Amino acid sequence: MALDFSIVLRFQEALALGLWMTIKLTLICVVLGCSLGFFVGLARASRSGILRAVSGIYVEFFRGTPVLIQLFWIFFCLPLILGVELSNLASGVIALTLYMGAVTSETFRASLKSIGREQLDACVALGLSRRVQVTSVILPQAVLRAVPTLLSNCVSLFKESALVSAVGMADLMFVGQNISNNTARPVEVLTVVALIYFVIAFPLTRAVTLVERRVLAKLAI
């Protein structure tokens, strides 16, 4: 079989649209997932046994089950339970956000533990409200310490987002599959799709290493 990668050029606009959908989905889920993960991390570090138990069950469930099954359950089963139609975009956002929240909660929990108890005691001594403690003292330090791992989680989410093609969402993987089926050129098309993922993900992984070094140097660890 003679390979002809020039055929992919005919579909560059469709691939670009699919890539944009993938990036947009990833960004939405990163923002929502990291926000959720921070509050779940606070719950896991809480003095309340109920909060620790509920957040622990959530984290262990979404970390311990395949993302694809979570996506299928939300897309096919949740509408039957709620009696409401969910689009493939909504299902993808919900599934990836819940997964990202579970993963990043552990990152935030570890970073929260690394904040010295004396700083929290100082907040209490100064009479700062809990809201001010979280937003002005705890959050900035937790985010700084968690940045390298969070960036790594974001790269992983970018790659995991290819799973939404299984529910018909027109992301990069879905578009690539359709093109390969229509042209009967799976080797050329899927190779290019894989290279697109790599070209975006590889520099990000290198950036994670660089950021980690700088953060560690800043914290003098």
Side-chain angles (χ1 to χ4, degrees):
M1 176 183 175
L3 298 180
D4 181 16
F5 284 92
S6 64
I7 194 172
V8 180
L9 296 176
R10 292 164 42 194
F11 303 96
Q12 56 184 328
E13 291 186 6
L15 290 171
L17 289 174
L19 176 60
W20 169 239
M21 177 59 71
T22 294
I23 293 174
K24 183 168 66 172
L25 174 66
T26 301
L27 291 175
I28 292 172
C29 295
V30 162
V31 172
L32 296 178
C34 287
S35 301
L36 174 62
F38 177 73
F39 289 107
V40 173
L42 286 177
R44 297 208 72 186
S46 170
R47 296 177 180 177
S48 170
I50 296 177
L51 281 178
R52 291 199 306 271
V54 172
S55 59
I57 292 172
Y58 157 71
V59 170
E60 295 305 325
F61 177 81
F62 281 95
R63 290 179 64 203
T65 55
V67 182
L68 184 60
I69 293 179
Q70 297 168 18
L71 176 62
F72 278 171
W73 194 91
I74 291 172
F75 184 72
F76 293 109
C77 302
L78 192 58
L80 297 177
I81 296 174
L82 299 179
V84 177
E85 285 292 327
L86 288 177
S87 66
N88 46 23
L89 175 60
S91 300
V93 168
I94 293 172
L96 294 181
T97 295
L98 291 175
Y99 169 74
M100 187 68 171
V103 172
T104 57
S105 69
E106 291 298 279
T107 301
F108 280 118
R109 184 165 72 119
S111 65
L112 288 169
K113 281 187 175 182
S114 68
I115 298 175
R117 181 67 194 178
E118 67 277 1
Q119 297 191 46
L120 300 180
D121 292 339
C123 291
V124 174
L126 291 171
L128 300 180
S129 67
R130 183 60 177 170
R131 181 183 63 82
V132 174
Q133 291 181 39
V134 171
T135 58
S136 301
V137 179
I138 298 176
L139 179 59
Q141 295 188 68
V143 170
L144 178 62
R145 295 164 189 263
V147 161
T149 307
L150 288 177
L151 290 176
S152 181
N153 292 337
C154 292
V155 175
S156 298
L157 185 69
F158 171 70
K159 294 181 287 186
E160 292 284 356
S161 68
L163 294 174
V164 300
S165 63
V167 293
M169 188 171 171
D171 69 327
L172 178 59
M173 187 62 199
F174 182 83
V175 172
Q177 286 177 320
N178 281 346
I179 295 173
S180 67
N181 291 337
N182 291 331
T183 60
R185 290 284 183 172
V187 176
E188 293 93 331
V189 176
L190 295 181
T191 298
V192 169
V193 169
L195 287 174
I196 293 173
Y197 277 104
F198 176 78
V199 166
I200 294 176
F202 181 73
L204 292 176
T205 58
R206 297 299 91 196
V208 169
T209 303
L210 179 61
V211 169
E212 184 175 16
R213 290 175 182 170
R214 293 189 175 182
V215 170
L216 291 178
K218 186 176 181 65
L219 295 174
I221 297 177

